[in-house]
Short mmCIF file of all heavy atoms in Angstrom, two decimals:
data_model
loop_
_atom_site.label_atom_id
_atom_site.label_comp_id
_atom_site.label_asym_id
_atom_site.label_seq_id
_atom_site.Cartn_x
_atom_site.Cartn_y
_atom_site.Cartn_z
N ALA W 13 0.59 9.33 -9.41
CA ALA W 13 1.99 9.26 -9.80
C ALA W 13 2.23 7.92 -10.47
O ALA W 13 1.32 7.07 -10.57
CB ALA W 13 2.91 9.42 -8.59
N GLU W 14 3.46 7.72 -10.94
CA GLU W 14 3.85 6.42 -11.50
C GLU W 14 4.37 5.55 -10.36
O GLU W 14 5.43 5.81 -9.81
CB GLU W 14 4.94 6.62 -12.56
CG GLU W 14 4.47 7.33 -13.82
CD GLU W 14 3.49 6.48 -14.63
OE1 GLU W 14 3.61 5.24 -14.58
OE2 GLU W 14 2.60 7.06 -15.28
N TYR W 15 3.62 4.54 -9.99
CA TYR W 15 3.97 3.67 -8.86
C TYR W 15 4.47 2.31 -9.36
O TYR W 15 4.02 1.80 -10.38
CB TYR W 15 2.77 3.47 -7.94
CG TYR W 15 2.36 4.71 -7.18
CD1 TYR W 15 1.33 5.51 -7.63
CD2 TYR W 15 3.02 5.07 -6.01
CE1 TYR W 15 0.95 6.65 -6.94
CE2 TYR W 15 2.65 6.21 -5.30
CZ TYR W 15 1.61 6.99 -5.78
OH TYR W 15 1.25 8.13 -5.09
N GLU W 16 5.40 1.74 -8.59
CA GLU W 16 5.89 0.40 -8.88
C GLU W 16 4.96 -0.63 -8.25
O GLU W 16 4.13 -0.32 -7.39
CB GLU W 16 7.30 0.23 -8.30
CG GLU W 16 8.35 1.19 -8.86
CD GLU W 16 8.73 0.84 -10.29
OE1 GLU W 16 8.56 -0.34 -10.67
OE2 GLU W 16 9.19 1.74 -11.01
N SER W 17 5.13 -1.87 -8.67
CA SER W 17 4.42 -3.00 -8.05
C SER W 17 5.47 -3.98 -7.55
O SER W 17 6.55 -4.10 -8.14
CB SER W 17 3.50 -3.70 -9.07
OG SER W 17 2.49 -2.82 -9.50
N SER W 18 5.19 -4.67 -6.44
CA SER W 18 6.19 -5.58 -5.87
C SER W 18 5.52 -6.62 -4.99
O SER W 18 4.44 -6.39 -4.43
CB SER W 18 7.22 -4.81 -5.06
OG SER W 18 8.15 -5.67 -4.45
N GLY W 19 6.19 -7.75 -4.86
CA GLY W 19 5.76 -8.78 -3.93
C GLY W 19 6.91 -9.18 -3.03
O GLY W 19 6.85 -10.21 -2.35
N ALA W 20 7.97 -8.36 -2.99
CA ALA W 20 9.17 -8.69 -2.22
C ALA W 20 9.04 -8.23 -0.79
O ALA W 20 8.41 -7.20 -0.48
CB ALA W 20 10.39 -8.04 -2.86
N ALA W 21 9.65 -8.99 0.11
CA ALA W 21 9.67 -8.60 1.53
C ALA W 21 10.34 -7.24 1.67
O ALA W 21 11.38 -6.96 1.07
CB ALA W 21 10.42 -9.64 2.34
N GLY W 22 9.73 -6.37 2.48
CA GLY W 22 10.26 -5.03 2.70
C GLY W 22 9.55 -3.97 1.91
O GLY W 22 9.67 -2.77 2.22
N ALA W 23 8.79 -4.35 0.89
CA ALA W 23 8.06 -3.36 0.10
C ALA W 23 6.96 -2.71 0.95
O ALA W 23 6.31 -3.37 1.77
CB ALA W 23 7.45 -4.00 -1.14
N VAL W 24 6.77 -1.41 0.75
CA VAL W 24 5.74 -0.65 1.49
C VAL W 24 4.77 -0.09 0.46
O VAL W 24 5.18 0.61 -0.48
CB VAL W 24 6.37 0.49 2.31
CG1 VAL W 24 5.29 1.21 3.12
CG2 VAL W 24 7.46 -0.04 3.24
N PHE W 25 3.49 -0.38 0.62
CA PHE W 25 2.50 0.12 -0.33
C PHE W 25 1.23 0.53 0.40
O PHE W 25 1.09 0.31 1.61
CB PHE W 25 2.20 -0.93 -1.41
CG PHE W 25 1.56 -2.20 -0.92
CD1 PHE W 25 0.18 -2.35 -0.90
CD2 PHE W 25 2.34 -3.27 -0.48
CE1 PHE W 25 -0.42 -3.53 -0.45
CE2 PHE W 25 1.76 -4.45 -0.03
CZ PHE W 25 0.38 -4.57 -0.02
N SER W 26 0.33 1.17 -0.33
CA SER W 26 -0.92 1.63 0.25
C SER W 26 -1.96 0.52 0.17
O SER W 26 -2.23 -0.02 -0.92
CB SER W 26 -1.43 2.87 -0.48
OG SER W 26 -2.73 3.21 -0.05
N ARG W 27 -2.53 0.17 1.33
CA ARG W 27 -3.52 -0.91 1.35
C ARG W 27 -4.72 -0.56 0.49
O ARG W 27 -5.29 -1.43 -0.20
CB ARG W 27 -3.98 -1.16 2.78
CG ARG W 27 -5.03 -2.26 2.89
CD ARG W 27 -5.60 -2.35 4.30
NE ARG W 27 -6.62 -3.39 4.39
CZ ARG W 27 -7.39 -3.59 5.45
NH1 ARG W 27 -7.27 -2.80 6.50
NH2 ARG W 27 -8.30 -4.56 5.44
N TRP W 28 -5.14 0.70 0.50
CA TRP W 28 -6.34 1.12 -0.20
C TRP W 28 -6.02 1.92 -1.46
O TRP W 28 -6.90 2.63 -1.98
CB TRP W 28 -7.22 1.96 0.73
CG TRP W 28 -7.69 1.20 1.93
CD1 TRP W 28 -7.12 1.18 3.16
CD2 TRP W 28 -8.82 0.33 2.00
NE1 TRP W 28 -7.80 0.37 4.02
CE2 TRP W 28 -8.87 -0.17 3.33
CE3 TRP W 28 -9.80 -0.07 1.10
CZ2 TRP W 28 -9.86 -1.06 3.75
CZ3 TRP W 28 -10.79 -0.96 1.52
CH2 TRP W 28 -10.81 -1.45 2.84
N GLY W 29 -4.81 1.81 -1.94
CA GLY W 29 -4.45 2.52 -3.15
C GLY W 29 -4.56 4.03 -2.96
O GLY W 29 -4.11 4.57 -1.95
N LEU W 30 -5.17 4.70 -3.91
CA LEU W 30 -5.29 6.16 -3.85
C LEU W 30 -6.66 6.60 -3.33
O LEU W 30 -7.02 7.78 -3.46
CB LEU W 30 -5.05 6.76 -5.25
CG LEU W 30 -3.74 6.35 -5.94
CD1 LEU W 30 -3.61 7.08 -7.27
CD2 LEU W 30 -2.55 6.65 -5.05
N TRP W 31 -7.41 5.69 -2.74
CA TRP W 31 -8.73 6.05 -2.23
C TRP W 31 -8.59 7.12 -1.14
O TRP W 31 -7.95 6.89 -0.11
CB TRP W 31 -9.42 4.80 -1.68
CG TRP W 31 -10.86 5.02 -1.29
CD1 TRP W 31 -11.73 5.89 -1.86
CD2 TRP W 31 -11.57 4.36 -0.24
NE1 TRP W 31 -12.96 5.82 -1.26
CE2 TRP W 31 -12.90 4.88 -0.25
CE3 TRP W 31 -11.25 3.38 0.68
CZ2 TRP W 31 -13.87 4.46 0.63
CZ3 TRP W 31 -12.23 2.95 1.56
CH2 TRP W 31 -13.52 3.49 1.54
N PRO W 32 -9.18 8.29 -1.32
CA PRO W 32 -8.95 9.42 -0.40
C PRO W 32 -9.34 9.13 1.05
O PRO W 32 -8.74 9.68 1.97
CB PRO W 32 -9.83 10.54 -0.98
CG PRO W 32 -10.00 10.18 -2.42
CD PRO W 32 -10.02 8.69 -2.47
N ALA W 33 -10.33 8.26 1.26
CA ALA W 33 -10.82 8.03 2.62
C ALA W 33 -9.84 7.24 3.48
O ALA W 33 -9.86 7.35 4.71
CB ALA W 33 -12.16 7.30 2.59
N ARG W 34 -8.90 6.44 2.85
CA ARG W 34 -8.03 5.58 3.66
C ARG W 34 -6.62 5.44 3.08
O ARG W 34 -5.91 4.49 3.42
CB ARG W 34 -8.65 4.19 3.80
CG ARG W 34 -10.01 4.18 4.49
CD ARG W 34 -10.54 2.78 4.66
NE ARG W 34 -11.90 2.78 5.19
CZ ARG W 34 -12.64 1.69 5.37
NH1 ARG W 34 -12.15 0.50 5.04
NH2 ARG W 34 -13.87 1.77 5.86
N SER W 35 -6.21 6.34 2.25
CA SER W 35 -4.91 6.18 1.57
C SER W 35 -3.72 6.23 2.52
O SER W 35 -2.63 5.79 2.16
CB SER W 35 -4.75 7.26 0.50
OG SER W 35 -4.58 8.54 1.11
N ALA W 36 -3.91 6.78 3.73
CA ALA W 36 -2.78 6.87 4.67
C ALA W 36 -2.45 5.53 5.30
O ALA W 36 -1.37 5.38 5.90
CB ALA W 36 -3.08 7.90 5.76
N GLN W 37 -3.34 4.54 5.20
CA GLN W 37 -3.03 3.21 5.74
C GLN W 37 -1.95 2.56 4.86
O GLN W 37 -2.03 2.59 3.64
CB GLN W 37 -4.27 2.33 5.78
CG GLN W 37 -5.30 2.78 6.80
CD GLN W 37 -6.45 1.79 6.91
OE1 GLN W 37 -6.25 0.58 6.76
NE2 GLN W 37 -7.65 2.30 7.19
N PHE W 38 -0.94 1.97 5.51
CA PHE W 38 0.17 1.39 4.76
C PHE W 38 0.29 -0.10 5.04
O PHE W 38 -0.22 -0.61 6.04
CB PHE W 38 1.48 2.08 5.13
CG PHE W 38 1.84 1.98 6.59
CD1 PHE W 38 2.51 0.88 7.10
CD2 PHE W 38 1.50 3.01 7.48
CE1 PHE W 38 2.83 0.77 8.44
CE2 PHE W 38 1.82 2.92 8.83
CZ PHE W 38 2.48 1.80 9.31
N VAL W 39 0.97 -0.78 4.13
CA VAL W 39 1.23 -2.22 4.26
C VAL W 39 2.73 -2.44 4.13
O VAL W 39 3.37 -1.84 3.26
CB VAL W 39 0.49 -3.02 3.17
CG1 VAL W 39 0.90 -4.49 3.23
CG2 VAL W 39 -1.01 -2.88 3.32
N ILE W 40 3.29 -3.29 4.99
CA ILE W 40 4.69 -3.69 4.88
C ILE W 40 4.72 -5.20 4.66
O ILE W 40 4.20 -5.97 5.49
CB ILE W 40 5.50 -3.34 6.14
CG1 ILE W 40 5.48 -1.83 6.38
CG2 ILE W 40 6.94 -3.84 6.00
CD1 ILE W 40 6.21 -1.41 7.64
N ILE W 41 5.27 -5.62 3.52
CA ILE W 41 5.39 -7.05 3.24
C ILE W 41 6.55 -7.60 4.06
O ILE W 41 7.67 -7.08 4.02
CB ILE W 41 5.65 -7.29 1.74
CG1 ILE W 41 4.50 -6.71 0.89
CG2 ILE W 41 5.81 -8.78 1.45
CD1 ILE W 41 4.72 -6.83 -0.61
N THR W 42 6.28 -8.64 4.85
CA THR W 42 7.31 -9.20 5.73
C THR W 42 7.93 -10.49 5.20
O THR W 42 9.02 -10.88 5.64
CB THR W 42 6.72 -9.47 7.13
OG1 THR W 42 5.54 -10.25 6.98
CG2 THR W 42 6.39 -8.16 7.82
N ARG W 43 7.25 -11.16 4.25
CA ARG W 43 7.80 -12.37 3.64
C ARG W 43 7.52 -12.33 2.13
O ARG W 43 6.43 -11.93 1.72
CB ARG W 43 7.17 -13.64 4.25
CG ARG W 43 7.44 -13.80 5.74
CD ARG W 43 6.80 -15.07 6.29
NE ARG W 43 6.90 -15.12 7.74
CZ ARG W 43 7.95 -15.62 8.40
NH1 ARG W 43 8.99 -16.10 7.72
NH2 ARG W 43 7.95 -15.64 9.72
#
């Protein structure tokens, strides 16, 4: 899909991008 990029606190993104083996892992930026 068309995904945004961000470095702001509160953004949620995939740690491993679209890699099928681990795409369900998420990252929450806290600062």
